[in-house]
Structures are given as C-alpha cells and as structure tokens.
Amino acid sequence: MFKKLGVIFFFVIFTSILFGNVVINVENTTVYAGESVLIEVSTDQSTLTHLYVDVTSGGFDDPFILFDGFDLVDGKANLTFLAPLIPAETTITFFNEDKTFEKMLKLKVVEEKIDIPETKLVILEKKGNVLYKKPNNDVWDSLATKTVIQEKSELLTLENGFVHLKEPNLNIEIKVAADTQLYIKRLRVSESGDIDIEYELKKGATINKIKEILAPGSKYLVGSGSVVAGVRGTEFGFENINGNTKIRTFEGTVYTMVNNQLFPVTAGNMFSYSPQQPKPNIQNLDKPLENYENEISPKTEEQPSEEQQPEKKSEEKTKQAEEQQTTKANIGNISFGKQQKGVNSYLVYSFAPNFDFGPFGIGIGFNAYQEDIDSPLYYGLPTENSSPSENILSALSINYLKFDFSTFYIRYGISQSYTKGLGLFMNNYTIPYSRVIDTELRFGNIKIGGHVPYEITSLIPFNYQQTSNVFFAYLDADLSIFNIEVTAIMNLNKEKPENEFNQAYLTTIYKDILFFRLGVEGDVVLTNDGTIVYGLLAGPIINFPPYFQFMLGINYLSDGFNMEYLNPYYEYNSANGIYMNLNNKSSFGIVGKSVFSISPYLNILINYNKLFSENRDSLLTGQMTLNIPSLGGIPQLTAGFSYMQYNFLEDSTVENVFLNNNTNLQGFIYYPILENSGVIYSITYNMKKQKFEYTLNFETKEF
C-alpha cells in the first residue's frame, strides 16, 4: 500500500521547510533505503552563494558535496540525496561557512518489505582447501563440490583455497579468494527477479558479478566492519585485509557507505578506507578485472570430490605439473639494426630468450655488433671501455635477470622510463638501448629502491660497463594522511663540467582525495661548481575516468634551475656536451598537463610549462601512442610519437614554429612479427642539422 501511494504522490506531494529566507523543498520525507530523492534549495539573499552540508546517514550523487559544499546559482541549487543502504532516520544539516545559521531537514529511511523465498548458491569451481559451516552449526567441515550453500552459513578458504559460487537461476556469481572468510546473512530470490542477498566479509577478497538489473526494493549488500557496499547490477571486487577495505568497481556503480556516509564509486575507480585515515579515498583502478581474477585464483590443482577416486601421482610428476604452471618462456630481447649509444651508433645483433619461473626470471642470449656495415663483426655488447672482442664466446651475455618477492625485488634488463615526484626535475628519463639494475625493498606501506646503471657485455670473459653516470635511490611511504616520496640522484661523472648537476634531491608530498591528487614537489640541485639551484611545483591532478586527466599547477624556479632536466633526451644531450643553463633567471610559471586515453587504442599526453621571465624558456612536450587493431590477416600495428620544444612561441629567430633548433622529435611505426618483437621504422629530427633521420630495425619493444 505504501509503495502505491508513494508512486501516486511522487510529483504531487512536496514538503516545504522554511528557515527564514532559506527554503528547502523535498519530494517526500519518507524514502526507501538505497533510493534517491531530489532536494531543492533556494534563497532570496544575494550574498548567500555557497552552503555546506552534513548528513548523519546517506550521501549525494556528487560525493564532493560532503567535503566542499555546493554553490547556489541565482539563489537556487538542486541536490540528489542518496538514502543510506540501511533503514534509519537521517538528519541533513545545511550551514554557511562561519556557521551563523544552521538549518536541518529530517528524512525517514525505511526498508521496503518484500516477501522473497530463500534460495541457495551452487559451486561452479573449487580449488585447494575450503571449509564450510552449516547454519546453526559450530563445526567446520570440508566443502564438497556438490554442497549447496545456504543462508546463515559460513565459508572459509585456506591459503591455497578458492571457490566460485553462483545463484542457480539468476546471473549472480561470487568468486572467493584464498584466505577469505565470509558469513552469508541473507540469501533470497523470487521468480519475478526480486533479490535480497547480503554477506559479511570478515577477511580476504571476493569478486562479485551481478548481471541482473535489480528490481526496486531488491538489494545486494557486502559488509565489512564500518563499510557496506550495495549495488543495482555491476561487477566489483571487495577486499578486507587487516581491517583495510578496498572496493574496485569494474562495471556499473557501487554505493559504498562508511561511517554512515554514502559514496558512489563508478566504473574504473577504486575505493580505499582504513580506520586510521580520517576520510575515504577514491582513485583510478590499479588493475583490470582480468588481472585481479588471475591474482585471486590459486594455480594449484582442483581438489577431487568425494565421488571421485584421486589418482596417485609420484612426487616427481607433481613437481613437473607445478613447474609447468609457473614457468613462462618468451622470445625475449631481439634486436637487428642501428642503435645510438651516446655519441656512437652501432649495428647490433641480439637474441636472448627470456624464461620466468614464478618470481624468478633469466635471459641468456647471443650478442654481436658492427661499427658500420663494412667493419668486422665483434661479439658481446658495444663498449667503449675495452677492446672489441672477436672471440665468439664473448657473444654470451645475461640480457635479463629478475627476482620478485613480496618484500624484495631486483631486475636487470633494458632501461625503463623513470618519473619521480610530479616530474619537475626527472620526467620520463631513460637510457636508450642499455641495461640497468633496479631494486626495491618493501616493508608494508614503505618502499626503498635504487637504480644502478651497469650492464654485462659478455660472460666469457666476464666484462661489464657503466651505461650512465646517473644513479638514484628513493623512499616511497604511505602515511595514511598523505604519501611522501624522497629521491636522491647522484652524477658520478668525474669529468663533468661546471654547468652539470652533481647531486639532486627531490621531495614530493601528495594526497589522493576522491578524483583529486593534491601534490607539492620541492627539488634542490647542486651543480659541479658549487651552485645550489631549486624548484617548486604545486597543484592538483584531476581525474575524469576513464578517458581524461588534467593537471594545473604553479611552479617557481630559482636562478639556474632547469625543469625536466632529466628527460628522454638527457643521455643524448650529455654525450653531445649539452648541459644545464646556469644563466637562467628565476621565474614563476604555470604548468598545464592533459592526458587523453582510450585504452588500449590511444593515449595522448600534452604538457606545457609557461614561465613568466623573459629570460626563461618555456617547454612544450607531447607523447602519443596509437594501437591499430588487427584487421583480417594484418596484425596489430603500433605508432608512437614524442615531441619536446624549448622556448615554444618565444623565439623570434626561428622560421618554423614546430621544427627548429629548440626541437627534439621522435616517432616510430611498429609491425609485430614474433611475439613482442618486430620491425620498427623510426624517425628522428636532428635539431643541429635541421633534418630528419630514418632507421629500420628489428627489435623487441615493450609498450
């Protein structure tokens, strides 16, 4: 009866609550749990343009309202209130900044009573050891594959356990990870599609897939302590590890309530909450659904049911089966073509298959090179510090080595791109065609890592060389209230000139709040002549998932500070004697960054630093990666482009705005042939010679 009356009077009955000259209109003061209601706020005070709001239970479709309040445009504002998932009386308080007045609106949140019969869950897949406690029973028993999961029962997966559950008639599935315990409070479904499912996740992780669009009054709730998540039809992961909760939304929207406040978490985002932090955090997803499903599903073999007779296997066969599951081989690093290392170029021929055994990885390969097409063939990797070897045994070398554990990581291989902090001093720095050592120690929320630029040129005889003069170490700590990253960079070149940096220290403090990352980076750089220069960058990064990200900040650069000095072209510039410009005058500036991404097809980044000093060079950078899907028998093609120009639109002596003496430009088209190896056609703009240079290589490329 109540439901029918609510529909009839939905657009007829309005309750007006007048607080002096502030009027609050609401469609209905009685709301169903989990539903929404429109609230209209109006005032005749022209000076009242912003109000703040607090709720005892519930939230708004725009979660920022709970933190920042809302604006009144022409004295009016419309808010969509989200009723809490659990029935309660809600008080909504409106107030101004100095709290000279305070107005309250009370709403009654009720649960719609629907008579739904009890249902069950069946087992689609089971691995490892899983225990089951029947309703009203204190005894844990082993879970059999034909066991029916009932309401008010409890599940416990052990270290190697996993179970995949499904409601028999509806498209509702739950995947339960290893070391997970959950209690099923409600398990009810009607033939008309009404559902009432609720379980408590005491520890561990689950993936929930609700492909049904739930009828009004239906609910699907997952709770853990003070956090409750409710959905109307979506795919999401719920994780409770040591009291810290993470909710990953892969599809639809998850309405998450923490401490009685409601936050909608849309697809492509992740909700994080710890009892130690004052406010929850919403940020971009850290991993796609496929990767997360692979993580929570152990690789052990499925346990046989009672009806099956287990086959007896020898220890040797069992070991072989485990190795087949954890061993992965790929074609590894391949390169046939021209490579530029420092001021020299070589024709390099390299073949090194990679093998991964769980946390271990190794790649031993054949390497040879020529200085030009007419010169002798030398074995090993190109080196300037030792005589070229004509001994074929020197061709053997370690091209790849990895140890990856939960508390320790070390990798030897082709240099990655490195950005530290917000990218003020080090932004996408790399060492082209060179191998390096990267290592990291992990202690909970603290990471300590280092970068050592050395590579092995041959095993027999054993030779190695330093691939760069730049070494760095870092500390990254999540302190709950904010994150801090500290990086120390050393230049060990003994022959560096006075206008080259000697040491650099970068400190970044940032905090993720919903779709914002607020950050401040401060850098201090010591040059070889004893000069100390410094820079500061502050501003928010705004995410509009899944396609856009924007950053707008301000920076200050002291005399002689060179922004983005460690960039993709640093090693080339250093080899050609292009160092820091210590004559730069101090300046304030504006930083703008825009990222547009349509995964996995297109990614575009444009970054512009505008400095206000007349003696300062502004900087424009751009990067683009385009993946063209395979069509017919043509495999997927990848095109890449990177651009950097100093003094953009500020150098009156240049004739070409985009290609001039201030420009660095690189582009490529990649055609795959073998796994992650193929033909790369590269284009580079030589700013000194003011001409394009072209190369055609066959090599390994990671995107």
Side-chain angles (χ1 to χ4, degrees):
M1 186 66 181
F2 174 79
K3 185 175 182 181
K4 293 181 180 179
L5 290 175
V7 174
I8 295 173
F9 294 103
F10 183 77
F11 295 104
V12 179
I13 298 179
F14 283 81
T15 300
S16 297
I17 304 174
L18 287 80
F19 304 108
N21 52 4
V22 177
V23 180
I24 313 295
N25 288 329
V26 62
E27 296 171 342
N28 204 321
T29 55
T30 301
V31 189
Y32 290 123
E35 299 290 339
S36 61
V37 62
L38 180 66
I39 300 176
E40 297 177 351
V41 183
S42 61
T43 180
D44 56 6
Q45 283 191 11
S46 59
T47 57
L48 190 59
T49 60
H50 191 83
L51 285 176
Y52 295 90
V53 62
D54 191 16
V55 297
T56 58
S57 184
F60 297 90
D61 63 342
D62 179 3
F64 289 107
I65 292 176
L66 290 173
F67 301 107
D68 304 325
F70 61 94
D71 293 322
L72 289 94
V73 180
D74 297 328
K76 296 181 180 180
N78 292 326
L79 310 178
T80 301
F81 175 75
L82 302 177
L85 305 173
I86 301 172
E89 186 177 55
T90 295
T91 301
I92 307 175
T93 305
F94 300 86
F95 55 94
N96 61 354
E97 185 173 9
D98 56 8
K99 293 190 176 182
T100 55
F101 76 88
E102 206 174 70
K103 310 298 180 184
M104 290 188 296
L105 168 66
K106 292 185 179 293
L107 298 177
K108 185 178 181 181
V109 181
V110 298
E111 183 176 3
E112 188 172 11
K113 299 297 183 181
I114 303 177
D115 187 16
I116 305 176
E118 192 171 328
T119 186
K120 59 185 178 181
L121 297 175
V122 297
I123 299 172
L124 297 181
E125 182 183 12
K126 185 182 80 73
K127 297 180 180 180
N129 295 316
V130 182
L131 302 180
Y132 179 64
K133 185 190 293 185
K134 295 180 180 179
N136 303 316
N137 195 327
D138 295 328
V139 179
W140 288 100
D141 291 324
S142 295
L143 182 68
T145 53
K146 289 189 176 182
T147 301
V148 173
I149 309 301
Q150 300 174 317
E151 185 181 273
K152 299 188 184 304
S153 63
E154 198 162 358
L155 278 170
L156 175 63
T157 59
L158 301 185
E159 186 176 3
N160 64 339
F162 170 83
V163 64
H164 184 182
L165 308 174
K166 185 183 185 303
E167 203 284 331
N169 301 313
L170 297 180
N171 200 357
I172 298 174
E173 299 179 18
I174 306 172
K175 292 185 177 181
V176 185
D179 198 21
T180 296
Q181 184 176 357
L182 60 88
Y183 172 70
I184 300 175
K185 292 183 177 180
R186 301 273 292 177
L187 194 56
R188 297 176 179 268
V189 172
S190 70
E191 294 181 357
S192 61
D194 295 319
I195 79 164
D196 183 2
I197 296 177
E198 181 181 359
Y199 68 86
E200 179 185 1
L201 186 66
K202 297 183 177 181
K203 68 172 184 175
T206 61
I207 293 178
N208 305 265
K209 296 185 178 182
I210 304 94
K211 292 298 186 179
E212 306 289 335
I213 302 300
L214 306 190
S218 294
K219 65 181 180 181
Y220 184 101
L221 300 180
V222 182
S224 177
S226 60
V227 180
V228 179
V231 297
R232 279 277 183 258
T234 184
E235 294 182 357
F236 71 101
F238 197 108
E239 184 176 295
N240 175 16
I241 307 296
N242 298 324
N244 299 318
T245 303
K246 288 185 179 180
I247 299 173
R248 297 173 172 88
T249 306
F250 304 106
E251 182 179 305
T253 301
V254 178
Y255 296 92
T256 303
M257 192 166 69
V258 55
N259 296 328
N260 293 326
Q261 291 189 328
L262 200 64
F263 300 87
V265 185
T266 56
N269 291 290
M270 180 174 71
F271 176 97
S272 302
Y273 175 74
S274 171
Q276 290 76 34
Q277 65 188 46
K279 295 180 180 178
N281 180 31
I282 300 178
Q283 61 192 62
N284 288 343
L285 267 178
D286 58 350
K287 62 193 72 174
L289 175 59
E290 182 179 357
N291 291 3
Y292 193 48
E293 286 182 317
N294 290 335
E295 286 181 9
I296 73 167
S297 179
K299 305 305 179 185
T300 56
E301 295 182 355
E302 184 179 16
Q303 295 292 316
S305 64
E306 290 89 349
E307 291 77 16
Q308 296 173 328
Q309 292 296 328
E311 297 180 1
K312 294 184 179 180
K313 299 182 179 180
S314 66
E315 294 182 1
E316 181 178 354
K317 289 184 177 180
T318 303
K319 184 177 180 181
Q320 289 175 351
E322 292 176 352
E323 288 178 350
Q324 289 175 356
Q325 292 177 343
T326 58
T327 302
K328 180 182 178 182
N330 61 65
I331 200 167
N333 295 111
I334 290 183
S335 179
F336 300 121
K338 182 180 178 181
Q339 292 185 2
Q340 184 78 27
K341 300 187 73 170
V343 295
N344 300 320
S345 63
Y346 305 91
L347 295 174
V348 176
Y349 315 100
S350 178
F351 174 75
N354 292 347
F355 297 91
D356 284 284
F357 308 90
F360 305 100
I362 190 169
I364 299 178
F366 177 91
N367 304 283
Y369 68 96
Q370 293 176 287
E371 295 177 349
D372 55 64
I373 195 65
D374 297 325
S375 68
L377 181 67
Y378 300 120
Y379 298 103
L381 296 176
T383 174
E384 300 176 4
N385 301 327
S386 60
S387 300
S389 175
E390 297 183 8
N391 183 352
I392 193 172
L393 294 178
S394 298
L396 294 177
S397 179
I398 297 177
N399 285 21
Y400 167 72
L401 188 64
K402 180 197 75 172
F403 297 91
D404 189 358
F405 302 99
S406 59
T407 58
F408 174 71
Y409 167 82
I410 186 169
R411 174 189 178 272
Y412 169 78
I414 292 294
S415 171
Q416 306 174 73
S417 293
Y418 307 94
T419 297
K420 289 302 177 183
L422 303 179
L424 180 61
F425 187 73
M426 178 188 286
N427 191 10
N428 286 316
Y429 164 71
T430 188
I431 312 173
Y433 300 111
S434 298
R435 291 157 184 81
V436 298
I437 300 172
D438 291 308
T439 184
E440 187 174 81
L441 295 174
R442 302 157 178 169
F443 307 99
N445 294 332
I446 298 177
K447 299 177 182 178
I448 302 174
H451 168 83
V452 181
Y454 273 88
E455 68 180 0
I456 300 170
T457 57
S458 69
L459 288 176
I460 306 173
F462 183 78
N463 287 317
Y464 63 93
Q465 68 176 354
Q466 185 176 320
T467 54
S468 172
N469 293 307
V470 176
F471 294 67
F472 64 84
Y474 62 89
L475 182 147
D476 191 346
D478 183 355
L479 305 180
S480 295
I481 56 175
F482 60 82
N483 293 65
I484 184 169
E485 180 186 272
V486 179
T487 304
I489 308 170
M490 308 296 293
N491 187 340
L492 300 186
N493 182 8
K494 297 180 180 179
E495 300 178 357
K496 55 183 173 288
E498 291 186 351
N499 62 329
E500 172 65 320
F501 88 97
N502 185 40
Q503 303 172 35
Y505 300 94
L506 323 178
T507 302
T508 304
I509 298 175
Y510 65 91
K511 178 63 179 176
D512 293 325
I513 303 175
L514 297 178
F515 303 110
F516 284 82
R517 167 170 286 189
L518 302 176
V520 178
E521 178 181 349
D523 301 344
V524 176
V525 180
L526 286 70
T527 66
N528 200 37
D529 68 350
T531 303
I532 299 177
V533 299
Y534 53 91
L536 180 69
L537 172 61
I541 297 175
I542 309 170
N543 292 302
F544 294 96
Y547 304 116
F548 296 100
Q549 181 189 83
F550 299 98
M551 176 184 180
L552 181 63
I554 59 172
N555 60 17
Y556 175 77
L557 312 180
S558 74
D559 293 345
F561 186 90
N562 288 239
M563 61 183 176
E564 297 188 25
Y565 183 64
L566 290 179
N567 57 53
Y569 309 101
Y570 169 80
E571 294 296 336
Y572 174 85
N573 292 338
S574 177
N576 287 275
I578 302 173
Y579 298 105
M580 298 183 71
N581 183 359
L582 297 179
N583 294 321
N584 285 331
K585 298 298 181 182
S586 62
S587 177
F588 284 94
I590 296 177
V591 177
K593 180 185 292 185
S594 177
V595 178
F596 176 70
S597 179
I598 303 178
S599 181
Y601 306 109
L602 178 66
N603 186 75
I604 299 175
L605 183 149
I606 300 174
N607 189 12
Y608 183 54
N609 293 281
K610 170 64 179 175
L611 297 172
F612 300 134
S613 171
E614 295 181 358
N615 299 316
R616 276 284 187 173
D617 293 340
S618 294
L619 180 66
L620 174 68
T621 60
Q623 295 178 359
M624 182 184 73
T625 303
L626 174 65
N627 291 317
I628 304 172
S630 60
L631 298 173
I634 302 175
Q636 175 176 299
L637 295 176
T638 302
F641 173 85
S642 62
Y643 177 90
M644 177 180 288
Q645 185 180 156
Y646 298 92
N647 214 3
F648 180 67
L649 296 178
E650 297 173 356
D651 190 346
S652 59
T653 64
V654 300
E655 297 180 359
N656 192 313
V657 174
F658 292 100
L659 295 175
N660 50 61
N661 291 339
N662 304 318
T663 303
N664 286 299
L665 174 67
Q666 291 181 345
F668 69 87
I669 298 176
Y670 170 72
Y671 182 89
I673 295 179
L674 296 172
E675 294 186 354
N676 59 339
S677 300
V679 176
I680 295 183
Y681 180 71
S682 302
I683 304 172
T684 303
Y685 180 74
N686 190 315
M687 65 180 184
K688 286 191 172 182
K689 299 179 181 179
Q690 294 191 11
K691 70 174 185 178
F692 288 97
E693 297 177 347
Y694 309 93
T695 58
L696 185 65
N697 286 359
F698 183 87
E699 62 182 71
T700 298
K701 190 76 174 179
E702 296 182 5
F703 301 101

